Amino acid sequence: MKASQFFISTFKEAPADAEVVSHQLMMRAGLIKRLGAGIYNYMPMGLRVIRKVEAIVREEMNRAGAVEVSMPVVQPAELWQETGRFEKMGDELLRIQDRHGRDFVIQPTSEEVVTDIARQELRSHKQLPKNLYQIQTKFRDERRPRFGLMRGREFIMKDAYSFDKSRDAAQLSYQNMRATYQRIFDRFGLSYRAVRADSGAIGGDLSEEFQVIASTGEDAIVYCPASDYAANLEKAEALAPTGTRPAAALALTQTATPGKSTCPDVAELLGVALSTTVKSLVLATDELDDKGILVKSHVWLLLLRGDHDMNEIKVAKVPGLDAGFRFATQAEIETHFGCKPGYLGPLNLLQPVTLVVDRDVAVMGDWICGANVEGFHMTGVNWGRDLPEPALVADLRNVVAGDLSPDGKGVLAIERGIEVGHVFYLGDKYSKAMNATFLGDNGKPAFFEMGCYGIGITRLPAAAIEQNHDERGIIWPDAIAPFTVVLCPIGMARSEAVQATAGGLYDALIALGVDVILDDRDERLGAMLADWELIGVPHRVVISDRGLKEGTVEYQHRRETEASKVAQDGILDHLKARLGL
Amino acid sequence: MKASQFFISTFKEAPADAEVVSHQLMMRAGLIKRLGAGIYNYMPMGLRVIRKVEAIVREEMNRAGAVEVSMPVVQPAELWQETGRFEKMGDELLRIQDRHGRDFVIQPTSEEVVTDIARQELRSHKQLPKNLYQIQTKFRDERRPRFGLMRGREFIMKDAYSFDKSRDAAQLSYQNMRATYQRIFDRFGLSYRAVRADSGAIGGDLSEEFQVIASTGEDAIVYCPASDYAANLEKAEALAPTGTRPAAALALTQTATPGKSTCPDVAELLGVALSTTVKSLVLATDELDDKGILVKSHVWLLLLRGDHDMNEIKVAKVPGLDAGFRFATQAEIETHFGCKPGYLGPLNLLQPVTLVVDRDVAVMGDWICGANVEGFHMTGVNWGRDLPEPALVADLRNVVAGDLSPDGKGVLAIERGIEVGHVFYLGDKYSKAMNATFLGDNGKPAFFEMGCYGIGITRLPAAAIEQNHDERGIIWPDAIAPFTVVLCPIGMARSEAVQATAGGLYDALIALGVDVILDDRDERLGAMLADWELIGVPHRVVISDRGLKEGTVEYQHRRETEASKVAQDGILDHLKARLGL
């Protein structure tokens, strides 16, 4: 490609609404152009990256035996009503009506449509396993789209769906996809982790996220440096503490803590470790009758150590809270505790609540909690003496760095990541809802065992940038760079030697199948180099009259801080070596 | 590809709603699967064809210097309001609202968005010319979607938009695209014509359709076998007749024609040629005030020869009718003619009407028309004697086979076609509406001169099938076949020789880069061959034990009626020759 025939558009400044570096750099390098909130044009430079991501994904999906289809962007609501998602999905699902007033949705994923295909087309166990995938435009009407392609509304996703005859077979399909994702992410040239994720109602460990490591990532990734354990924060289990509970040493005392309504403030005031304090979280569950009318509500008190955070996914698995919960209202809190939040605790309640105690709290002695009296906390609280032994103990908290790894092989560390892929065992959730069966080898119909597997095609470049950039711009891995090599001739219009050398090298690289761009815009050197550093092409060759006079050109990798002189007649071999050709 | 790892799904019967052969065959061969009215899943077999069409289009667009972008499927209404198309486009434009109640459309084309990109990005004449294209999902909410991919609601289109600094430069861009389209359609391997089309309000000849020739096509194509003249029926000009008007020979007579209300019936009754009769068409125009309230209506009478049909596009260019017209109401007709339709004519009117006379009628003598009396026609009608010489003469009719070619090089023939491409000079229609300017070389802002260029990516395979099929199924041209070669081993599971030969040939073809499928499903021969004839793979090799014993395999091109024996060790060379390798 020659720059004069391409479309290069760079900007010194990023727009004010670009909060994260990938968004800023994608806008400044002209990869994308905003059309509306969370809706972007993929400009020529950005589309090249997207197409390379697609090509790698497609190649590896095909290699894994998956078959490509394409399901419509606009899908009839009927199928979505079969699974109930048309109603359940909320405002993120963009619903539309056609000219005849019939309901449609714009696909955010395609479980319903692919299950509809399977129930019509896959009639016998002999046709299984089958994995159908598409690379297609999706839409999610995010309430607050932001961060450019990181959380856009319209985006491109690769979504794959496997159909198997048994749970065992489905696990093989899952493992096949997991291995395929590793090949895909290896090829992208990014640092990533496959982390265990919560599989919701389906249970088991068959849900993993592929996270691109980046300090700016939205997700916390928990991993064990001494083993291969990795999970997202939602999923990572906090092991039961190994020690025994210390014996009570202090007397139960109501201690004045005026204006100190948080655990850190109380710990500071009393000069104790935050880990000796206990925070009280008040939840409520509602009991409805057949008509959906509220019969009664029930109040729950969760106790966590002052230095720990509640994990909503784990709380949602506590018996009694697993059908849904909410935070209690101010009125409910006052009725049960006789006190405002900030000084709540499990002692001296006005009305009974159900106590759920985090594993770590259950082994504490001489702890501190709210007194249910404004401006006071209880100190020297002890289980079995000041209140009954906890009946309901569970893992309620996020792990923290230094916790024991669940595999017992070390302690956990935490880093940040960006989710760009997800492999998920679905079981028969969709096949049952849509009565999708095949004829088993026993001659009887059985529900498909399904899995689904996504890769955020347009999010991936953003994640790659979050991981690979510097103050000058983007640093693309070779595999997904818009161009692999850029040739920068200086004063090409005025020097035949420069023109001939640049042209010859360009032709030689094209003949080798290298994705090269020749910057023939005749820009001045500074502007030209700044453009290509911003755009992030990994390999750059500068060709100048001065260099040619001494028989050299300059090569610089985007990660290097200085250019190196290479003999003019050795540059092609040099590039081949750097490109691994 | 091996069939066992692919997705093959064929049907003996087409669904009842499949009216045209391409729709029937695409459904039967499992290329597409209906999801809703005018909405289809592209199944693996069909998607392969679509991807090959896309690849050819992309390659030639790139070769022509066009640059690929991708504009969102969901587009904010604001831009569409700037050009007025948000209101004007009617129900075909699918309008949606997001969760915040903001208006959006699903793109049917992208003139607005690309013009918005241009007005922001192309600031100087130095950046011109520029041609931006995308291959993207489109939606048109057709009132009556039908014929499968021929007139679907969701479809894939390649749409390109050129931006130039002057009308002359825009014409060069247009000619570049026209030549590119010829290369593209040549590569598809289809019989097609580039035909002149009407360019609406913009005028000039810079609008051409690319029509795939097929007897089942919806469009009539007019062409001159003796020259390169070709136009669609709407556009093709009927030349002014060359002869002079014959002198009046008959007396004007009111002749009884009871129950004969059409020209053919009258001609038959009177034993004269249909070409001596004249049909009367009554139109009306409405004059509105500033508030859009009807001030008055005006009635027009069009006269055409009995054997000719009215051309609405041409009528819409007659001065006075060019702002819109409608057919007159029954009441308007009775008020002006004192008679019901079927016996209308230009003589003995109750109230004056504006007469518009087709060129061919203006040179008729002794003609026949309605008498404005039910059951009667006038015979022996003559201009200048029975009514004034016609004041307003125009080309009002569709041409017919045998008419003189407008280029004077022969007579016209008519065949049928399917429009799959369109190149169109837009002028400054969109750039003016959206105030899209660049800085000209004179330092002053000027509106972009634009062109737009579409190819119906998903319609193309349907058109290819309409042109290339027989009673057994589809016959793909090599370039867009889902697979180029199919290997059909008989009894592969039972014969090592068959297995080895098929496997060896498969590997050799893969190594040559041939898109081959090996049918390893172990189907019986009849079913296997029927599948591939239905699917339409152009080159087929059958490998059997019986053949191998005498050292042969069987080759058959899909267009041939019989297979030919080819020496086993010569089949690769044979295939290479047939494939042009």
Side-chain angles (χ1 to χ4, degrees), chain B residues 345-421:
Chain B
L347 298 171
N348 306 320
L349 296 164
L350 297 186
Q351 288 187 40
V353 300
T354 305
L355 202 62
V356 191
V357 178
D358 182 67
R359 285 171 173 171
D360 284 280
V361 174
V363 295
M364 287 171 74
D366 291 333
W367 39 283
I368 298 166
C369 63
N372 291 334
V373 180
E374 189 168 348
F376 287 89
H377 278 78
M378 303 302 293
T379 57
V381 186
N382 282 281
W383 295 110
R385 183 188 79 181
D386 309 321
L387 71 178
E389 283 293 335
L392 193 46
V393 176
D395 177 14
L396 301 179
R397 69 170 175 96
N398 287 335
V399 298
V400 293
D403 275 349
L404 289 177
S405 175
D407 63 4
K409 294 185 179 162
V411 293
L412 296 176
I414 295 186
E415 63 190 350
R416 303 207 68 83
I418 299 162
E419 184 192 345
V420 286

Side-chain angles (χ1 to χ4, degrees), chain B residues 42-115:
Chain B
Y42 306 138
M43 299 299 284
M45 194 70 80
L47 191 61
R48 291 183 74 89
V49 176
I50 292 168
R51 292 272 184 259
K52 288 191 181 181
V53 172
E54 286 179 355
I56 289 172
V57 170
R58 183 172 282 126
E59 229 174 274
E60 294 299 336
M61 289 300 292
N62 291 346
R63 195 193 307 271
V67 184
E68 190 175 2
V69 297
S70 183
M71 293 175 270
V73 173
V74 177
Q75 304 186 344
E78 284 81 1
L79 293 176
W80 288 75
Q81 282 155 346
E82 280 191 52
T83 61
R85 289 213 296 172
F86 188 71
E87 290 76 21
K88 264 185 264 173
M89 256 197 78
D91 284 345
E92 271 195 22
L93 183 65
L94 194 58
R95 296 168 180 83
I96 44 183
Q97 289 200 325
D98 72 359
R99 65 193 297 158
H100 303 295
R102 283 189 292 252
D103 289 317
F104 290 82
V105 306
I106 305 209
Q107 64 159 328
T109 58
S110 280
E111 280 85 355
E112 281 79 0
V113 173
V114 80
T115 306

Side-chain angles (χ1 to χ4, degrees), chain B residues 35-333:
Chain B
L35 183 59
I39 299 178
Y40 293 87
N41 293 301
Y42 306 138
M43 299 299 284
M45 194 70 80
L47 191 61
R48 291 183 74 89
V49 176
I50 292 168
R51 292 272 184 259
K52 288 191 181 181
V53 172
E54 286 179 355
I56 289 172
V57 170
R58 183 172 282 126
E59 229 174 274
E60 294 299 336
M61 289 300 292
N62 291 346
R63 195 193 307 271
V67 184
E68 190 175 2
V69 297
S70 183
M71 293 175 270
V73 173
V74 177
Q75 304 186 344
E78 284 81 1
L79 293 176
W80 288 75
Q81 282 155 346
E82 280 191 52
T83 61
R85 289 213 296 172
F86 188 71
E87 290 76 21
K88 264 185 264 173
M89 256 197 78
D91 284 345
E92 271 195 22
L93 183 65
L94 194 58
R95 296 168 180 83
I96 44 183
Q97 289 200 325
D98 72 359
R99 65 193 297 158
H100 303 295
R102 283 189 292 252
D103 289 317
F104 290 82
V105 306
I106 305 209
Q107 64 159 328
T109 58
S110 280
E111 280 85 355
E112 281 79 0
V113 173
V114 80
T115 306
D116 181 54
I117 291 174
R119 70 182 168 183
Q120 293 178 64
E121 295 284 342
L122 303 176
R123 279 152 296 192
S124 156
H125 66 96
K126 290 180 198 157
Q127 292 170 278
L128 304 179
K130 203 56 97 183
N131 184 321
L132 297 175
Y133 79 96
Q134 64 175 348
I135 296 177
Q136 178 65 303
T137 300
K138 303 282 189 296
F139 201 94
R140 278 186 202 160
D141 200 1
E142 297 273 354
R143 174 184 299 276
R144 207 159 85 82
R146 56 194 169 141
F147 305 155
L149 297 197
M150 200 79 87
R151 190 170 292 282
R153 294 202 285 177
E154 184 168 321
F155 56 97
I156 300 174
M157 192 165 102
K158 187 283 297 174
D159 43 330
Y161 306 90
S162 62
F163 296 88
D164 278 283
K165 61 181 177 181
S166 68
R167 198 188 144 94
D168 283 353
Q171 298 207 2
L172 286 181
S173 290
Y174 176 95
Q175 294 303 341
N176 176 23
M177 275 298 106
R178 187 184 191 283
T180 300
Y181 272 43
Q182 285 180 317
R183 279 196 298 275
I184 290 171
F185 283 89
D186 285 344
R187 284 186 63 182
F188 287 152
L190 299 174
S191 166
Y192 71 94
R193 271 184 209 282
V195 310
R196 297 180 204 189
D198 187 66
S199 53
I202 292 161
D205 274 338
L206 292 177
S207 171
E208 283 159 286
E209 293 166 359
F210 282 74
Q211 295 264 2
V212 167
I213 306 304
S215 58
T216 52
E218 276 193 296
D219 296 336
I221 301 171
V222 178
Y223 68 102
C224 175
S227 73
D228 64 354
Y229 180 84
N232 68 14
L233 190 62
E234 289 176 348
K235 169 76 178 174
E237 188 189 2
L239 283 188
T242 45
T244 52
R245 187 196 293 162
L250 303 176
L252 181 68
T253 309
Q254 182 169 318
T255 305
T257 52
K260 307 296 180 190
S261 61
T262 68
C263 286
D265 286 352
V266 170
E268 193 189 0
L269 174 75
L270 303 180
V272 296
L274 184 57
S275 59
T276 65
T277 64
V278 167
K279 65 172 82 164
S280 297
L281 297 164
V282 189
L283 303 182
T285 51
D286 296 321
E287 196 177 313
L288 307 179
D289 69 9
D290 292 348
K291 291 170 186 159
I293 295 169
L294 184 68
V295 178
K296 65 175 177 187
S297 296
H298 192 81
V299 172
W300 301 67
L301 174 60
L302 271 56
L303 298 185
L304 280 96
R305 228 166 67 180
D307 57 341
H308 287 159
D309 289 325
M310 180 177 100
N311 180 310
E312 285 200 34
I313 301 284
K314 293 178 179 178
V315 171
K317 290 181 177 167
V318 171
L321 293 171
D322 50 356
F325 62 86
R326 58 178 171 82
F327 282 99
T329 63
Q330 191 80 15
E332 285 169 331
I333 290 172

Side-chain angles (χ1 to χ4, degrees), chain A residues 6 9 33 41-42 44 51 68-70 72-74 96 98-99 120-121 130 141 143 153-154, chain B residues 6 9 33 41-42 44 51 67-70 72-74 96 98-99 120-121 130 141 143 153-154:
Chain A
F6 195 57
S9 178
K33 190 164 189 66
N41 293 302
Y42 305 138
R51 293 272 184 259
E68 190 175 2
V69 297
S70 184
V73 172
V74 177
I96 43 183
D98 73 359
R99 65 193 295 158
Q120 294 178 63
E121 295 283 341
K130 204 57 96 186
D141 200 0
R143 175 185 298 275
R153 294 203 286 178
E154 183 168 321
Chain B
F6 195 57
S9 179
K33 190 162 189 69
N41 293 301
Y42 306 138
R51 292 272 184 259
V67 184
E68 190 175 2
V69 297
S70 183
V73 173
V74 177
I96 44 183
D98 72 359
R99 65 193 297 158
Q120 293 178 64
E121 295 284 342
K130 203 56 97 183
D141 200 1
R143 174 184 299 276
R153 294 202 285 177
E154 184 168 321

